[in-house]
Structures are given as C-alpha cells and as structure tokens.
Amino acid sequence: MIEVVAELSRGPVFLAGEALECVVTVTNPLPPTATSASSEALAWASAQIHCQFHASESRVALPPPDSNQPEVQPDSQTVFLPHRGERGQCILSTPPKILFCDLRLDPGESKSYSYSEVLPREGPPSFRGQSVKYVYKLTIGCQRVNSPITLLRVPLRVLVLTGLQDVRFPQDEAVAPSSPFLEEDEGGKKDSWLAELAGERLMAATSCRSLHLYNISDGQGKVGTFGIFKSVYRLGEDVVGTLNLGEGTVACLQFSVSLQTEERVQPEYQRRRGAGGVPSVSHVTHARHQESCLHTTRTSFSLPIPLSCTPGFCTAIVSLKWRLHFEFVTSREPGLVLLPPVEQPEPATWTGPEQVPVDTFSWDLPIKELPSVKHFLLENDSSGPCFH
C-alpha cells in the first residue's frame, strides 16, 4: 500500500494569478504488526490544476460538444486525466507537471516533492450557483507498476478581482498604506506582492464614502428617503443604510430589506420555459432585516456580507450581481392615525382598527461586491491543510 499526502503551503484560498505551492509526500508505510514487508515501485506521478464547469440542464442550454476535437482515450486507466469521473466539462487547466518517475520505496520510506503552479488569470472565480458551478481542484495522479492510475483531488477556492475597472479610485494615495519593502522583495515574495497590491486596490475601491439619497414613492405619494454611504463593498463588510420616513406623505406600516445575489443566465444560453426549463434568473438571500415602522420617523439597518459568498462576476454563460431588495407595506388611507388622541375631555375606551387596507411594492438597489484580502489571509493559515 502506498500513501500519498498533499499539503498546501498556506491554505486553499488563492487569488487568480497567484502561485500555488504544494508538497506531495509519498510513503510506503510499515504496518506496526507486520513481520515482513516488501518494496513498492511507482511508475510516475503528475499534478495539474483544472477548473470544472457544470450547468443545470433545466436552466442552461449548452451547445453540443465539438465532434471535430479528438478525445484522449477517456476510458483508458493508464492516461492521466485529472477530470476523470467528474461531472461537467473541464474548461481550464494548467499543463501537467511530472513529480517523479521510476520511484522505489522500501518499507517505512517516504519521499517529498514540491509542486508549484500559477493559477490562470483568465478563469472564472470559484462559484456554486443554482444554474452553473465553477470548481477548482488540484489533482495528483500516481500509478504503481502494472496498476491503474489513482487520483488525489485537492479542492481550491479561487478569487478573481473583477469590476475594478468600473470603480473610481480616490486621488489621495495615502488611503491605503503601502509596504516600504514592496519593491525590494524578490523571488519567493512575489505572492505577497500580489496580495498587498490587491489589498491596496480593494481598499481604494471600497473606501470612497459619499452619501447617496433615494426618494421612495408609490402610486399615492412619497413614502420616505433611503440613504447609503457607498455602493462598493468587500466580503465581510456590513451594508449600513438609513431610512427616513418622517418626510413621507404615505404611512409605511412595515418594510424589509434583503441582501441578495442575482444569478442570470446569458440570453443565448437560456433554456425556453415552454421546453421544460425553469426561470433563467435565480435569487439567493444572504441577510435580511424586517421592521414594523408605523409612527417611526427614522430607522437604520446593518446587513453582514458573508465571507463564504462569491463576489460579482460575468462569464459568457452566466453573470452574478448583488443587490438590496426592499419590500414596503403602505396604507391606502391617507393620513392614517392608529394612536388614541393625546387629550380627551373625559375617560373613554379607544380601540384600534381591526383591518387596514394596504398596498405592497418592492424596489431593488444594485451594489458591487469585491473579494476581501483579509478573508484571503485568514483562511490561509501558516500550517496549511493536508489531503490524503
């Protein structure tokens, strides 16, 4: 029996364009109760990073595969195919690298090999949605002499810095402090350069604060004013907003606000509803605030953005956007009063109305979500996970 252990040097979360480093240890274990054992011969071992794409057949209409492309013996057990047995299609992969050839291990002996590869910049981020999934894995293939290939798959999470071209950066370069050693580090410090540069760009993109006010109205008049200080956030931040209902002419009985993602299939890949398909747009709620607000003049809310979510992105097949989804319940009666008079000439019993005719309406406010380098550093501890 051969034991293969893959240890990532600093965790499973990476930025696109960053170098992944992994130590692969191959061991011929010696059972504690064994009186004798034999050497093991390994023909070779290779490693490769690939991105697996899977689409829901009820939501996405993919074109048929190109029959002109030759297949590489998918049923052969002697060919290294990292995506063998995986669902979907392999849409992105790095060149395979050979770790060793013709290795012989005596009982109790082990050998370690280093693997390093740069994650492609042009790939999509890791994402598990209702319509599509993009999954990154590091696959290590090992073959014993006269035996089929055995695969070890290490799951990865890849973050992509998208949407920064549309963000206005402040002119003040002192928004985010830069490291004085940034230009002096070389070689092994290249990854820290990328992380720090990404952190500075993210800080500049999300540190711009300016009050944005939105008037909220229905068919009868003004309900209130919503205020928010920025529209670009990082994973792990809180979305804070204020709602001023004192200036409204329509009584608001209740409101709710949800932090949602909108996953939308591109028009050319949408499956028709009449052909058994489901809607090409799906929404997922990550945080929600609800409040009864009759006679409330001003209120606020705070919605945390989970670190486990995927920032907004767009590919040829699907797009992911973030939004604040508001729902309001308003009164149809103008000047609605549900409190007893402050001054009464004589004692009396006051009873509120049993029924109030209401209207409901919704409003969506788009926001932008970007990756968080803080999250990237927290998940990648110094020890790194091991996979057997």
Side-chain angles (χ1 to χ4, degrees):
M1 180 185 70
I2 291 295
E3 181 182 83
V4 180
V5 177
E7 181 177 2
L8 297 175
S9 59
R10 52 163 199 76
V13 182
F14 297 89
L15 295 171
E18 186 183 10
L20 175 148
E21 296 181 355
C22 179
V23 176
V24 180
T25 303
V26 185
T27 305
N28 181 11
L30 179 62
T33 58
T35 58
S36 62
S38 59
S39 300
E40 291 283 355
L42 298 177
W44 56 266
S46 294
Q48 187 177 13
I49 299 173
H50 63 99
C51 177
Q52 204 71 12
F53 166 75
H54 173 70
S56 171
E57 296 182 356
S58 61
R59 296 174 179 267
V60 183
L62 294 177
D66 188 1
S67 58
N68 296 327
Q69 295 183 354
E71 295 187 355
V72 186
Q73 302 179 9
D75 298 329
S76 175
Q77 297 297 319
T78 60
V79 178
F80 177 48
L81 295 177
H83 50 86
R84 185 195 308 275
E86 295 270 86
R87 298 177 60 188
Q89 309 171 15
C90 179
I91 61 171
L92 186 67
S93 62
T94 60
K97 291 186 178 180
I98 298 177
L99 301 178
F100 61 81
C101 291
D102 298 331
L103 175 65
R104 179 172 293 275
L105 296 176
D106 294 329
E109 184 181 7
S110 65
K111 292 287 184 68
S112 296
Y113 302 89
S114 297
Y115 171 79
S116 178
E117 184 61 86
V118 176
L119 284 101
R121 294 178 179 268
E122 65 274 12
S126 298
F127 177 64
R128 293 181 178 271
Q130 298 186 21
S131 298
V132 302
K133 294 179 175 62
Y134 295 102
V135 181
Y136 283 84
K137 294 181 181 180
L138 165 63
T139 300
I140 301 169
C142 184
Q143 184 178 22
R144 299 168 64 183
V145 177
N146 299 324
S147 299
I149 298 175
T150 301
L151 300 178
L152 171 64
R153 293 189 172 100
V154 180
L156 308 172
R157 185 183 182 191
V158 177
L159 302 176
V160 179
L161 296 178
T162 59
L164 290 182
Q165 297 82 359
D166 301 330
V167 177
R168 294 182 60 185
F169 295 94
Q171 299 298 324
D172 186 6
E173 297 180 356
V175 171
S178 59
S179 171
F181 306 102
L182 189 59
E183 296 181 356
E184 299 178 6
D185 295 342
E186 296 180 358
K189 297 298 183 179
K190 184 177 180 180
D191 292 344
S192 63
W193 294 0
L194 179 61
E196 188 160 353
L197 288 174
E200 291 183 2
R201 297 188 67 188
L202 289 171
M203 180 66 71
T206 59
S207 62
C208 300
R209 292 181 177 271
S210 177
L211 180 60
H212 301 274
L213 297 176
Y214 301 89
N215 291 324
I216 303 173
S217 304
D218 64 357
Q220 300 183 15
K222 183 177 179 179
V223 177
T225 303
F226 173 69
I228 193 170
F229 284 93
K230 63 178 187 176
S231 59
V232 182
Y233 298 85
R234 290 172 294 171
L235 297 180
E237 287 190 305
D238 293 335
V239 180
V240 180
T242 61
L243 191 63
N244 186 352
L245 302 173
E247 303 175 352
T249 58
V250 179
C252 183
L253 308 182
Q254 179 179 287
F255 82 94
S256 66
V257 54
S258 302
L259 178 65
Q260 296 181 341
T261 50
E262 179 185 88
E263 180 185 358
R264 180 182 297 272
V265 180
Q266 303 293 4
E268 58 268 31
Y269 293 100
Q270 293 180 5
R271 189 173 294 278
R272 296 181 179 178
R273 297 286 297 275
V278 296
S280 58
V281 180
S282 57
H283 300 94
V284 176
T285 299
H286 303 281
R288 188 172 186 268
H289 173 85
Q290 180 174 316
E291 183 177 337
S292 297
C293 55
L294 182 63
H295 304 300
T296 299
T297 58
R298 182 182 294 271
T299 185
S300 62
F301 64 86
S302 178
L303 299 177
I305 306 173
L307 286 171
S308 58
C309 294
T310 301
F313 70 95
C314 181
T315 66
I317 298 177
V318 71
S319 65
L320 183 73
K321 297 181 179 180
W322 287 74
R323 71 178 189 178
L324 293 176
H325 177 70
F326 292 84
E327 295 181 355
F328 295 92
V329 179
T330 58
S331 171
R332 293 181 183 175
E333 299 179 357
L336 176 66
V337 177
L338 295 183
L339 293 178
V342 178
E343 297 181 358
Q344 294 186 6
E346 58 184 17
T349 301
W350 180 86
T351 303
E354 296 182 356
Q355 295 183 350
V356 177
V358 298
D359 288 325
T360 61
F361 70 96
S362 62
W363 173 57
D364 296 325
L365 177 64
I367 61 175
K368 288 186 178 181
E369 295 291 341
L370 301 177
S372 172
V373 174
K374 178 181 178 182
H375 167 228
F376 160 77
L377 295 175
L378 284 176
E379 285 204 9
N380 290 345
D381 55 20
S382 57
S383 59
C386 295
F387 299 87
H388 300 259

